[in-house]
């Protein structure tokens, strides 16, 4: 399937408890799985590592592995 120009990935700045859109888009990619995460579904990220995660399990594993 071809992606339209409206389907571009967003660039975000991740802060503790919130994020700021630096470049508009519809989604981001999970730093671990590469899964597409629509911005309205984005719930898990690391402000320290500036990464998004698709699920709490992925986020926990990633942060424990980096500890």
């Amino acid at each position: 399937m071809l992606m339209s120009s409206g389907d571009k990935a967003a660039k975000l700045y991740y802060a503790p408890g919130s994020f700021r859109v630096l470049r508009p888009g519809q989604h981001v990619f999970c730093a671990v799985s590469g899964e597409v995460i629509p911005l309205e579904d984005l719930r898990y990220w690391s402000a320290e590592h500036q990464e998004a995660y698709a699920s709490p399990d992925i986020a926990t594993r990633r942060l424990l592995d980096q500890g």
Side-chain angles (χ1 to χ4, degrees):
M1 173 168 58
L2 295 175
M3 296 175 73
S4 71
S5 61
D7 289 338
K8 290 185 180 178
K11 181 171 177 71
L12 306 179
Y13 173 78
Y14 301 101
S18 66
F19 58 83
R20 184 172 36 137
V21 177
L22 301 176
R23 184 182 65 226
Q26 300 298 310
H27 62 272
V28 293
F29 295 98
C30 175
V32 176
S33 69
E35 181 179 338
V36 171
I37 308 166
L39 289 188
E40 63 269 12
D41 295 336
L42 179 59
R43 303 283 183 273
Y44 310 101
W45 62 82
S46 168
E48 180 180 355
H49 300 289
Q50 292 296 296
E51 296 179 331
Y53 308 113
S55 72
D57 293 335
I58 291 172
T60 301
R61 278 197 320 261
R62 177 69 155 194
L63 297 176
L64 289 175
D65 288 347
Q66 292 181 0

